[in-house]
PDB file of all heavy atoms in Angstrom:
ATOM      1  N   ILE X  51       6.944   0.623   6.066  1.00 98.00           N
ATOM      2  CA  ILE X  51       7.219  -0.175   7.226  1.00 98.00           C
ATOM      3  C   ILE X  51       8.566  -0.749   7.030  1.00 98.00           C
ATOM      4  O   ILE X  51       8.912  -1.275   5.968  1.00 98.00           O
ATOM      5  CB  ILE X  51       6.240  -1.254   7.426  1.00 98.00           C
ATOM      6  CG1 ILE X  51       6.382  -1.983   8.685  1.00 98.00           C
ATOM      7  CG2 ILE X  51       6.011  -2.206   6.266  1.00 98.00           C
ATOM      8  CD1 ILE X  51       5.228  -2.869   9.172  1.00 98.00           C
ATOM      9  N   THR X  52       9.496  -0.754   7.945  1.00 98.00           N
ATOM     10  CA  THR X  52      10.788  -1.154   7.850  1.00 98.00           C
ATOM     11  C   THR X  52      10.822  -2.708   8.039  1.00 98.00           C
ATOM     12  O   THR X  52       9.816  -3.322   8.490  1.00 98.00           O
ATOM     13  CB  THR X  52      11.710  -0.631   8.824  1.00 98.00           C
ATOM     14  OG1 THR X  52      11.319  -0.988  10.216  1.00 98.00           O
ATOM     15  CG2 THR X  52      11.642   1.051   8.737  1.00 98.00           C
ATOM     16  N   SER X  53      11.982  -3.380   7.847  1.00 97.00           N
ATOM     17  CA  SER X  53      12.102  -4.714   8.081  1.00 97.00           C
ATOM     18  C   SER X  53      11.896  -5.061   9.604  1.00 97.00           C
ATOM     19  O   SER X  53      11.411  -6.208   9.871  1.00 97.00           O
ATOM     20  CB  SER X  53      13.449  -5.278   7.540  1.00 97.00           C
ATOM     21  OG  SER X  53      14.597  -4.613   8.264  1.00 97.00           O
ATOM     22  N   GLY X  54      12.159  -4.111  10.453  1.00 96.00           N
ATOM     23  CA  GLY X  54      11.976  -4.269  11.806  1.00 96.00           C
ATOM     24  C   GLY X  54      10.634  -3.999  12.338  1.00 96.00           C
ATOM     25  O   GLY X  54      10.373  -4.129  13.542  1.00 96.00           O
ATOM     26  N   GLY X  55       9.744  -3.519  11.445  1.00 96.00           N
ATOM     27  CA  GLY X  55       8.371  -3.141  11.878  1.00 96.00           C
ATOM     28  C   GLY X  55       8.073  -1.720  12.183  1.00 96.00           C
ATOM     29  O   GLY X  55       6.932  -1.392  12.452  1.00 96.00           O
ATOM     30  N   SER X  56       8.973  -0.852  12.101  1.00 98.00           N
ATOM     31  CA  SER X  56       8.868   0.470  12.393  1.00 98.00           C
ATOM     32  C   SER X  56       7.955   1.056  11.141  1.00 98.00           C
ATOM     33  O   SER X  56       8.218   0.881  10.024  1.00 98.00           O
ATOM     34  CB  SER X  56      10.085   1.257  12.443  1.00 98.00           C
ATOM     35  OG  SER X  56      10.839   0.936  13.527  1.00 98.00           O
ATOM     36  N   THR X  57       7.023   2.027  11.454  1.00 98.00           N
ATOM     37  CA  THR X  57       6.129   2.407  10.535  1.00 98.00           C
ATOM     38  C   THR X  57       6.160   4.054  10.439  1.00 98.00           C
ATOM     39  O   THR X  57       6.575   4.711  11.233  1.00 98.00           O
ATOM     40  CB  THR X  57       4.713   2.133  10.792  1.00 98.00           C
ATOM     41  OG1 THR X  57       4.376   2.691  12.081  1.00 98.00           O
ATOM     42  CG2 THR X  57       4.443   0.628  10.746  1.00 98.00           C
ATOM     43  N   ASN X  58       5.786   4.504   9.176  1.00 98.00           N
ATOM     44  CA  ASN X  58       5.604   5.933   8.994  1.00 98.00           C
ATOM     45  C   ASN X  58       4.618   6.230   7.989  1.00 98.00           C
ATOM     46  O   ASN X  58       4.274   5.311   7.219  1.00 98.00           O
ATOM     47  CB  ASN X  58       7.024   6.552   8.418  1.00 98.00           C
ATOM     48  CG  ASN X  58       7.407   6.120   7.056  1.00 98.00           C
ATOM     49  OD1 ASN X  58       7.868   4.960   6.953  1.00 98.00           O
ATOM     50  ND2 ASN X  58       7.050   6.763   5.972  1.00 98.00           N
ATOM     51  N   TYR X  59       3.937   7.418   8.223  1.00 98.00           N
ATOM     52  CA  TYR X  59       2.724   7.729   7.397  1.00 98.00           C
ATOM     53  C   TYR X  59       2.697   8.964   6.741  1.00 98.00           C
ATOM     54  O   TYR X  59       3.260  10.081   7.418  1.00 98.00           O
ATOM     55  CB  TYR X  59       1.410   7.477   8.277  1.00 98.00           C
ATOM     56  CG  TYR X  59       1.179   6.228   8.751  1.00 98.00           C
ATOM     57  CD1 TYR X  59       1.723   5.800   9.989  1.00 98.00           C
ATOM     58  CD2 TYR X  59       0.493   5.171   8.072  1.00 98.00           C
ATOM     59  CE1 TYR X  59       1.593   4.499  10.523  1.00 98.00           C
ATOM     60  CE2 TYR X  59       0.348   3.884   8.538  1.00 98.00           C
ATOM     61  CZ  TYR X  59       0.873   3.532   9.805  1.00 98.00           C
ATOM     62  OH  TYR X  59       0.624   2.227  10.231  1.00 98.00           O
ATOM     63  N   ALA X  60       2.118   9.300   5.690  1.00 98.00           N
ATOM     64  CA  ALA X  60       1.928  10.604   5.176  1.00 98.00           C
ATOM     65  C   ALA X  60       0.868  11.254   6.219  1.00 98.00           C
ATOM     66  O   ALA X  60       0.078  10.749   6.741  1.00 98.00           O
ATOM     67  CB  ALA X  60       1.303  10.570   3.802  1.00 98.00           C
ATOM     68  N   ASP X  61       1.120  12.529   6.287  1.00 98.00           N
ATOM     69  CA  ASP X  61       0.317  13.320   7.143  1.00 98.00           C
ATOM     70  C   ASP X  61      -1.232  13.188   6.804  1.00 98.00           C
ATOM     71  O   ASP X  61      -2.047  13.056   7.786  1.00 98.00           O
ATOM     72  CB  ASP X  61       0.580  14.752   7.118  1.00 98.00           C
ATOM     73  CG  ASP X  61       1.921  15.067   7.813  1.00 98.00           C
ATOM     74  OD1 ASP X  61       2.409  14.232   8.681  1.00 98.00           O
ATOM     75  OD2 ASP X  61       2.412  16.297   7.602  1.00 98.00           O
ATOM     76  N   SER X  62      -1.467  13.161   5.625  1.00 97.00           N
ATOM     77  CA  SER X  62      -2.928  12.947   5.160  1.00 97.00           C
ATOM     78  C   SER X  62      -3.717  11.782   5.518  1.00 97.00           C
ATOM     79  O   SER X  62      -4.790  11.710   5.560  1.00 97.00           O
ATOM     80  CB  SER X  62      -2.992  13.066   3.639  1.00 97.00           C
ATOM     81  OG  SER X  62      -2.228  12.087   3.012  1.00 97.00           O
ATOM     82  N   VAL X  63      -2.810  10.692   6.025  1.00 98.00           N
ATOM     83  CA  VAL X  63      -3.542   9.307   6.401  1.00 98.00           C
ATOM     84  C   VAL X  63      -3.269   9.074   7.816  1.00 98.00           C
ATOM     85  O   VAL X  63      -3.793   7.959   8.274  1.00 98.00           O
ATOM     86  CB  VAL X  63      -3.132   8.291   5.288  1.00 98.00           C
ATOM     87  CG1 VAL X  63      -3.319   8.624   4.002  1.00 98.00           C
ATOM     88  CG2 VAL X  63      -1.671   7.892   5.617  1.00 98.00           C
ATOM     89  N   LYS X  64      -2.514   9.724   8.487  1.00 98.00           N
ATOM     90  CA  LYS X  64      -2.138   9.416   9.945  1.00 98.00           C
ATOM     91  C   LYS X  64      -3.362   9.330  10.712  1.00 98.00           C
ATOM     92  O   LYS X  64      -4.323  10.068  10.675  1.00 98.00           O
ATOM     93  CB  LYS X  64      -1.255  10.551  10.539  1.00 98.00           C
ATOM     94  CG  LYS X  64       0.208  10.361  10.188  1.00 98.00           C
ATOM     95  CD  LYS X  64       1.072  11.320  10.811  1.00 98.00           C
ATOM     96  CE  LYS X  64       2.485  11.370  10.461  1.00 98.00           C
ATOM     97  NZ  LYS X  64       3.378  12.396  11.038  1.00 98.00           N
ATOM     98  N   GLY X  65      -3.503   8.297  11.556  1.00 98.00           N
ATOM     99  CA  GLY X  65      -4.666   8.022  12.372  1.00 98.00           C
ATOM    100  C   GLY X  65      -5.808   7.308  11.681  1.00 98.00           C
ATOM    101  O   GLY X  65      -6.750   6.880  12.424  1.00 98.00           O
ATOM    102  N   ARG X  66      -5.758   7.113  10.425  1.00 98.00           N
ATOM    103  CA  ARG X  66      -6.782   6.503   9.585  1.00 98.00           C
ATOM    104  C   ARG X  66      -6.314   5.264   8.908  1.00 98.00           C
ATOM    105  O   ARG X  66      -7.055   4.263   8.821  1.00 98.00           O
ATOM    106  CB  ARG X  66      -7.354   7.403   8.533  1.00 98.00           C
ATOM    107  CG  ARG X  66      -7.993   8.661   9.007  1.00 98.00           C
ATOM    108  CD  ARG X  66      -8.582   9.440   8.046  1.00 98.00           C
ATOM    109  NE  ARG X  66      -7.779   9.940   6.961  1.00 98.00           N
ATOM    110  CZ  ARG X  66      -7.862   9.594   5.588  1.00 98.00           C
ATOM    111  NH1 ARG X  66      -8.839   8.748   5.241  1.00 98.00           N
ATOM    112  NH2 ARG X  66      -7.034   9.994   4.684  1.00 98.00           N
TER     113      ARG X  66
END
Side-chain angles (χ1 to χ4, degrees):
I51 185 167
T52 68
S53 57
S56 296
T57 59
N58 62 281
Y59 298 92
D61 287 343
S62 59
V63 306
K64 278 181 183 176
R66 300 188 297 121

